[in-house]
Amino acid sequence: MYRDNYVNSLRTELVGMVADLLTPVALRYGYSDVPLEANIKWRPQVLVLGNYSSGKSTLINEFLGAHIQATGQAPTDDSFTIITCDDSAPAESTVRVTEERDGKFLLNDPEYPFETLKKHGQRFAAHFRLKKVNSPFLKNLALIDTPGMLDSITERDRGYNYQEVIGDLAQIVDLVLVIFDPHKAGTVREAYISIRETLQTRTSEDRVIFVLNRIDECTSLIDLLHVYGTLCWNLSQITGRKDIPLIRLTHSPQAAASYADAPEHDRGFLALLGNQREELKKAILQAPRYRLDHLATFVETHGERLSHLLEALIKYRKGVRMFRIKNSLTGLLVSMLCGGTAAFALLMSGVLAGMDQRLLLGSGGFFTLAMLVFWVTVIQKRLVSRFHRDCLRDFDTLTPLENQSRLDSWEAIRDLVRTYLQKTAGRFSLREVKQQHHVVRRVFDKGSREIREALNELAAISENGPVGIDDSMPAEEPLQTKKGVKPSPASKKIRILS
Ligand SMILES: Nc1nc2c(ncn2[C@@H]2O[C@H](COP(=O)(O)OP(=O)(O)O)[C@@H](O)[C@H]2O)c(=O)[nH]1
Ligand SMILES: [Mg+2]
């Protein structure tokens, strides 16, 4: 209970921090169309992916304890279904769907984190829905059942970009379950290759659980080992890693019962793997813990990218300022030369013959000033525009890209920087950008470090009491959100910005 409170207050702090400190910057520079916290404010979620007929819906139904999702050998269900609990439903013994909502509602209701999926259009909205179910399994998490992956020709007929939808959902959820079945263990590569990037770059690998389902369909232990080996090989190709991730082996005893068993088949191995289903269930129920980790990574990733974006703008603006200073000095020198030359020419031509020396100086000064004004208003303006164009041409020199993480974050924001520079023609306040950079940088540097410390402390807290919280710690600089959230136990650790 105590631990749950700690987790909840830590979650509230993190979401508040994103809303108050990162979102204004993200919206201002077009980094995101919706408030950043829109993706992370809802309950922990588990995305269930896999080929069609790999047993996704059957597995979900078994966890929920009722036939909630349609199942069948043919690709029956082509919808993305969010399955969440109904907090308002009265406690009753039969698990059932208590309420259903369609995609249009889901995509537009700010209570849910799916606003970002609106861009996938009407066809997607028609294949997106929510079911509220009164299952205890959903107490702390929501499940997302997905249509199976099909071959590429059919993919185009869906009317929306399936891979992109999966990518966006993978960003929102805390755990991704990737389910294989023995029939297609050898052909998963084609189906999964296109989500490789999504899963690798957008969600960290420890948030992906690989499952080999329907193992009762292997005819013997040797057959299972063969399927397992093929899957391992494919997975190493998909993930690009030599070490094979843990693959959980499971099956649905209920579905298996209806599967005719040939006499030569020897499924004694199933008894040895009986505990795997419970292990998988436990792993899925860890989703709330992953949520905090996900939130910390979210703050780090977006903090780093926004900081990089602002850094590039600062570098540009400072570059312009230095260019102007140098150019103005050149202009002054040229103007003085022109003024001197003009005065000398006047003197030589005899126009000023017999006149006061001061008039000679005055006319020299006049020419200098006129030239300077011309320089600043015409020549310098043109040179600054050329500098701007050159900057946009040699765009990547705008920021040092000394390591892979810098390259990755630059890749994510370089088009935004370019668009912003083009839109503003390079005219924006350096002071304002510097202030924003200072805030974002502190969230990234100090904030993410303190979040990790709080997470470590969380690991030391038992279910019912504070084992690891340092209550004596002075609550200096508690997190100040706009709403003035009262400092929680978690904010003893997270006291980032005031
Ligand atoms: N033998 C066996 N059949 C299964 C298992 N899991 C699911 N099935 C069957 O496989 C078919 C497809 O299952 P379904 O859950 O609809 O797959 P989905 O398309 O991935 O959602 C159904 O007919 C299920 O009865 C399993 O573990 N063993
Ligand atoms: Mg299904």
Side-chain angles (χ1 to χ4, degrees), residues 21-50:
L21 306 175
L22 295 186
T23 288
V25 180
L27 292 177
R28 164 86 193 263
Y29 295 97
Y31 179 78
S32 169
D33 298 332
V34 294
L36 276 182
E37 70 279 10
N39 277 358
I40 51 169
K41 64 187 173 192
W42 205 47
R43 55 201 357 253
Q45 293 150 77
V46 180
L47 178 67
V48 184
L49 294 179

Side-chain angles (χ1 to χ4, degrees), residues 51-58 60 69-72 74-79 145-148:
N51 280 322
Y52 73 91
S53 281
S54 53
K56 300 180 292 296
S57 305
T58 306
I60 289 174
Q69 288 292 86
T71 59
T76 38
D77 186 359
D78 60 353
S79 290
D145 195 4
T146 60

Side-chain angles (χ1 to χ4, degrees), residues 346-360:
L346 285 176
L347 190 67
M348 284 308 179
S349 63
V351 177
L352 298 178
M355 292 211 181
D356 195 337
Q357 283 251 318
R358 271 177 298 178
L359 199 60
L360 184 63

Side-chain angles (χ1 to χ4, degrees), residues 6 452-462 467-470 473 489 492-493:
Y6 190 89
R452 295 283 170 201
E453 279 171 16
L455 286 179
N456 286 340
E457 287 197 351
L458 184 67
I461 296 174
S462 74
V467 176
I469 292 189
D470 179 5
M473 194 155 51
K492 284 184 175 156
K493 257 298 162 200

